[in-house]
Amino acid sequence: MITLQKPPMGWNSWDCYGAAVNEEQVRENARYMAKNLKTYGWEYIVVDIQWYEPNAVSHEYNRNADLVMDEFGRLMPTANRFPSAAGGSGFRPLAEYIHSLGLKFGIHILRGIPRQAVRRNTVVKGTDCRAAEIVDFGDVCCWNGDMCGIDMSRRGAQAYYDSIFQLYAEWGVDYVKVDDIARPYHREEVEAIAGAIENSGREMVLSLSPGAAPIAEAEHLSKWANMWRMTDDFWDDWGLLKKMFDYCRDWFPYVGSGHFPDCDMLPLGCIRVCNKENGEKTRFTVEEQKLLLSLWAIFRSPLMFGGDMTRNDEFTLSLMQNRQILDINQNGSGGREVYRKGNEIVWAANGAEDTVYLAHFNVGDEELAAEFDPAFIGGRETFHIREIWSGEEQNGVSRIKSVIPPHGVKLYQIK
């Protein structure tokens, strides 16, 4: 794995293109990121699930799908959707293109070995073992029928994982999102995959999905993965966003250098493009989007944007280019919930030197008038404060008085 000092920032194809993403869409979003967002720290371009299935057309999974696979049971990009993969090139040409833009390339995989490989009983590369010898038919993904688990006690099991990550290293992959591994939690395969990355000789970010990952495994997760999902799939629904405060409260003690609990992707901008020709605008209101970004930032969640960036409006782009929000996320520390009182939730984090950040959230449906004594987190009598979203500044403040809109936030820089 790679040693991460900061939460990863990037784009993932799932929210907008589902299982149907194609190469031109990936390249278009990469060009947009390179032009508009690279200087702000956004760098990962991640191709999500089913890149090996020729007939994927939506967010739904095809039952008993035919998959593109090499002779060693390793999934390959389908050339009808990723033309540069033709002739066995795999993702190498696409990764090279993304690297040429100064960005990094990632892919999604499912834990285990393809059922198709087991049916064909393919050889495990570099061994005399075969797929049927390492498969665990009693441990199958319940929501996608493509894969079976691997019994890590079997001879050849680690060799299979080593073989696929050696392939990814040859392609130039920088980030791997491994699905069907965090819920339920598969300790042995987490360790096997981390070991396979190490054996590949290439540094890669290791991201685990789906959530909720078990908090009882927090220490193990922190040792063996860079990031892991705290929740099931997060979409543009206020109920899911409100619930995220509970997950963040439970997980903030485990945020640290090298490992970051993951609130999931940012379903902002234009999403669900594969289901509608022009996609759908996020259902989150403007205030909810500010609240979302404030929570992700102060908690230090990875920031993986889910919308089609090429269709960003001015407001969505302004969210992604907000340097102060990004600085809190990338360079803050000690993000923690301070208290809850009814619909009022207060978070704080440390910034550079003597700076403190305070997020005053209103998770209720009515406007909230609230007051906070910053000496509780800062230790001085008066302060200079700046509300980040509005830019309003005040000097000599002894108490912060906030009027917070429904589903909204006031985010303060305190010095």
Side-chain angles (χ1 to χ4, degrees):
M1 294 186 302
I2 191 171
T3 301
L4 291 176
Q5 302 302 319
K6 302 177 180 182
M9 295 170 55
W11 172 83
N12 179 291
S13 62
W14 174 254
D15 285 356
C16 48
Y17 298 119
V21 64
N22 63 47
E23 181 167 356
E24 185 52 35
Q25 292 162 342
V26 174
R27 288 177 179 252
E28 287 175 352
N29 276 274
R31 287 192 289 268
Y32 182 95
M33 181 180 286
K35 179 181 178 181
N36 299 288
L37 296 166
K38 184 173 70 171
T39 59
Y40 293 83
W42 299 88
E43 60 178 345
Y44 289 97
I45 295 290
V46 180
V47 178
D48 211 89
I49 197 167
Q50 304 302 115
W51 41 264
Y52 37 79
E53 184 190 346
N55 299 316
V57 295
S58 71
H59 275 89
E60 303 300 321
Y61 304 122
N62 294 322
R63 185 176 177 82
N64 298 321
D66 288 326
L67 311 178
V68 179
M69 191 177 71
D70 73 3
E71 68 270 31
F72 301 113
R74 302 180 298 180
L75 296 170
M76 303 291 287
T78 175
N80 68 320
R81 291 165 50 206
F82 296 91
S84 70
S89 298
F91 272 132
R92 185 184 296 110
L94 180 55
E96 288 175 349
Y97 177 74
I98 289 171
H99 292 156
S100 76
L101 298 174
L103 304 175
K104 297 178 180 178
F105 178 64
I107 60 173
H108 171 290
I109 67 169
L110 281 161
R111 172 187 65 90
I113 187 167
R115 290 189 184 193
Q116 184 171 292
V118 178
R119 288 196 297 270
R120 297 179 185 177
N121 205 18
T122 54
V123 173
V124 175
K125 191 175 189 297
T127 76
D128 60 356
C129 300
R130 291 187 173 270
E133 298 174 58
I134 65 172
V135 68
D136 182 354
F137 278 120
D139 186 13
V140 177
C141 177
C142 65
W143 46 266
N144 181 298
D146 294 338
M147 309 291 283
C148 298
I150 292 177
D151 182 344
M152 295 310 303
S153 70
R154 300 287 187 88
R155 189 174 68 92
Q158 183 64 51
Y160 179 77
Y161 274 125
D162 287 348
S163 75
I164 64 172
F165 278 89
Q166 186 59 52
L167 181 64
Y168 305 156
E170 293 168 2
W171 288 347
V173 171
D174 305 296
Y175 177 117
V176 181
K177 173 184 174 182
V178 184
D179 218 334
D180 187 41
I181 197 165
R183 187 204 74 225
Y185 193 59
H186 292 81
R187 269 176 156 256
E188 293 79 9
E189 285 182 90
V190 169
E191 293 181 16
I193 288 167
I197 293 174
E198 183 72 19
N199 294 338
S200 78
R202 183 176 181 84
E203 290 187 332
M204 302 180 199
V205 174
L206 176 55
S207 169
L208 305 182
S209 288
I215 200 162
E217 297 287 359
E219 296 297 336
H220 190 263
L221 286 157
S222 299
K223 179 179 180 180
W224 295 98
N226 297 119
M227 51 190 280
W228 56 89
R229 288 263 298 280
M230 304 186 300
T231 74
D232 204 343
D233 285 3
F234 177 76
W235 282 100
D236 48 339
D237 175 273
W238 169 248
L240 297 178
L241 179 50
K242 185 176 180 180
K243 180 64 178 175
M244 195 65 72
F245 284 93
D246 296 337
Y247 291 110
C248 291
R249 177 180 56 187
D250 292 341
W251 280 101
F252 77 76
Y254 303 100
V255 176
S257 179
H259 45 86
F260 300 95
D262 181 13
C263 294
D264 199 14
M265 288 175 285
L266 303 168
L268 304 178
C270 183
I271 56 180
R272 302 184 187 91
V273 176
C274 67
N275 294 338
K276 294 188 176 182
E277 182 178 352
N278 295 315
E280 295 180 351
K281 185 176 180 180
T282 183
R283 296 167 187 165
F284 285 133
T285 66
V286 167
E287 295 300 331
E288 289 168 352
Q289 291 179 66
K290 292 178 182 178
L291 178 146
L292 185 158
L293 261 295
S294 299
L295 180 60
W296 265 240
I298 206 163
F299 176 74
R300 300 199 77 200
S301 172
L303 301 179
M304 300 302 293
F305 189 79
D308 181 347
M309 293 185 292
T310 69
R311 307 184 196 212
N312 276 354
D313 57 22
E314 185 176 342
F315 175 72
T316 304
L317 180 59
S318 74
L319 294 176
M320 301 182 75
Q321 292 181 336
N322 190 313
R323 290 193 184 277
Q324 284 199 290
I325 295 294
L326 298 178
D327 183 62
I328 297 170
N329 176 263
Q330 294 290 285
N331 301 310
S333 64
R336 69 274 188 193
E337 183 179 287
V338 179
Y339 70 79
R340 297 188 184 199
K341 185 168 60 178
N343 291 320
E344 177 189 1
I345 302 178
V346 175
W347 274 68
N350 304 321
E353 299 176 350
D354 62 346
T355 299
V356 177
Y357 295 103
L358 178 77
H360 219 153
F361 298 102
N362 175 11
V363 297
D365 299 330
E366 305 292 336
E367 185 176 86
L368 174 69
E371 188 173 311
F372 184 80
D373 181 358
F376 183 70
I377 58 174
R380 286 185 288 172
E381 292 185 1
T382 61
F383 302 83
H384 172 85
I385 66 171
R386 181 178 188 274
E387 204 286 307
I388 290 173
W389 289 111
S390 66
E392 296 177 359
E393 298 189 46
Q394 298 179 59
N395 284 310
V397 172
S398 59
R399 298 185 75 81
I400 297 175
K401 297 180 180 180
S402 301
V403 178
I404 313 167
H407 301 187
V409 63
K410 297 290 185 179
L411 179 60
Y412 299 98
Q413 181 188 61
I414 305 173
K415 292 186 177 182

